[in-house]
Amino acid sequence: MSDLLERLRGRGWRLTAQRRVVAEVLDGDHVHYTADEVHALAAERLPEISRATVYNTLGELVTLGEVIEVSTDGRAKRYDPNAHHAHQHLVCARCGTIRDVHPSGDLLADLPTQERYGFAISAVEVTYRGLCPDCAA
Amino acid sequence: MSDLLERLRGRGWRLTAQRRVVAEVLDGDHVHYTADEVHALAAERLPEISRATVYNTLGELVTLGEVIEVSTDGRAKRYDPNAHHAHQHLVCARCGTIRDVHPSGDLLADLPTQERYGFAISAVEVTYRGLCPDCAA
DNA sequence: ATCCTACATTGGACATTGTCTAAGTCAAGA
DNA sequence: TCTTGACTTAGACAATGTCCAATGTAGGAT
């Protein structure tokens, strides 16, 4: 992720303090924050950053394909910076924790043509649900 | 679905006009309404029905396993009465239309043990995304 | 058939998450 | 350094969902 800013600048992104802070917050492994969490963490470094800017920046990162938006349930969307490695999600039904997982098998091939209803399918998402060790205890 | 009310009464459900109307609205094939749509349709038959009751009833039906809650994206959840046949969903990324589909393959077996992080996995959901024929045109 | 009462419904306030806008600010090229 | 169009901000607004106290009622008991 350290070269993310470089990549974005190459695409004509204007590099502002706010965008830099948001990108820094998303840096790291197994990070799946909500927009509000990103805002809180960003505000630790840049207290005046507004919610609107965080939403804007996250939306741009999603559009650019640098970050994936994960809607686990009715709760807030989470943002996953691990966009360059195909993966799926394992979600705790109780506390909402997310882990990245890598199932085997060709998910797209599993859907017969006659079940595609003429759709141009562009993505397959798999969500495994269950209780994490802490919540199961 | 016609025997749904019987089944629910057998479980001690008090049968009210409101609950009957909500169940009737959900009756049918390939129905994936949002809570607000259910409320609007129910209100056609029972104008005084409140939003709270629709939310309560949908929640109960989900808890009882008669209806499945589908969170397609950041939009409103949709309610799928086809709970007794395992199936997955095909969603149009543009208009939000949902079709029920039945992929082959054992999705649960596709996740290696070492990728389960000690979770007790209880469900697997697959969402295929793409553009429906209308939106692709 | 009528009465009781626990359960269901109602309306509206409230909460959460996200979007939009007008006005001010600033990064970066000239 | 100047200029300008893109960026940020605060706060109003919107969409969806939850909660509560007051009221109503289904269905068993009498």
Side-chain angles (χ1 to χ4, degrees):
Chain A
M1 178 75 120
S2 46
D3 42 13
L4 169 60
L5 296 176
E6 275 311 312
R7 236 181 301 144
L8 294 174
R9 190 148 49 175
R11 299 210 216 180
W13 237 41
R14 181 173 293 185
L15 190 45
T16 66
Q18 290 83 351
R19 287 175 170 178
R20 195 194 320 267
V21 168
V22 169
E24 283 171 7
V25 167
L26 287 178
D27 199 357
D29 250 356
H30 293 300
V31 167
H32 299 94
Y33 294 132
T34 63
D36 252 21
E37 287 166 350
V38 172
H39 178 238
L41 291 165
E44 288 178 4
R45 309 191 194 189
L46 191 65
E48 328 77 40
I49 192 170
S50 74
R51 289 191 330 119
T53 295
V54 172
Y55 276 101
N56 287 342
T57 304
L58 289 173
E60 286 155 10
L61 289 171
V62 169
T63 298
L64 293 172
E66 297 289 346
V67 164
I68 290 173
E69 201 174 62
V70 186
S71 300
T72 59
D73 50 7
R75 294 189 254 180
K77 291 181 220 169
R78 288 174 180 275
Y79 293 87
D80 182 343
N82 192 12
H84 295 295
H85 295 70
H87 64 280
Q88 305 299 337
H89 292 111
L90 171 57
V91 180
C92 177
R94 191 135 161 285
C95 66
T97 294
I98 299 180
R99 318 280 318 218
D100 290 347
V101 295
H102 307 81
S104 59
D106 184 343
L107 295 157
L108 195 48
D110 282 350
L111 190 62
T113 307
Q114 73 271 18
E115 287 246 335
R116 298 191 186 188
Y117 298 98
F119 277 55
I121 298 176
S122 54
V124 187
E125 290 165 23
V126 182
T127 305
Y128 295 87
R129 292 185 192 283
L131 292 177
C132 71
D134 286 350
C135 289
Chain B
M1 176 75 119
S2 47
D3 43 13
L4 168 60
L5 296 177
E6 276 311 313
R7 234 181 302 144
L8 294 175
R9 189 147 52 174
R11 299 210 217 178
W13 235 41
R14 181 174 292 186
L15 191 45
T16 67
Q18 290 84 351
R19 286 174 169 179
R20 195 193 321 267
V21 168
V22 169
E24 283 171 7
V25 167
L26 287 179
D27 199 356
D29 250 358
H30 293 299
V31 167
H32 299 95
Y33 294 131
T34 63
D36 252 20
E37 287 167 351
V38 172
H39 178 238
L41 291 164
E44 289 179 3
R45 309 191 194 190
L46 191 66
E48 299 318 315
I49 193 170
S50 74
R51 290 191 330 120
T53 294
V54 172
Y55 276 101
N56 286 342
T57 304
L58 289 173
E60 287 155 9
L61 290 170
V62 169
T63 298
L64 292 171
E66 297 289 346
V67 164
I68 290 173
E69 202 175 61
V70 186
S71 300
T72 59
D73 50 7
R75 294 190 253 182
K77 290 181 220 172
R78 291 175 178 273
Y79 293 87
D80 181 343
N82 192 13
H84 295 295
H85 296 70
H87 64 279
Q88 305 299 337
H89 292 112
L90 171 57
V91 180
C92 176
R94 189 133 163 286
C95 68
T97 294
I98 298 180
R99 317 280 319 214
D100 289 348
V101 295
H102 307 81
S104 60
D106 184 344
L107 295 157
L108 195 47
D110 282 350
L111 189 63
T113 307
Q114 73 272 18
E115 287 247 335
R116 298 190 187 190
Y117 299 99
F119 278 55
I121 299 177
S122 54
V124 187
E125 289 164 24
V126 182
T127 304
Y128 295 88
R129 293 187 191 281
L131 291 177
C132 71
D134 286 351
C135 289

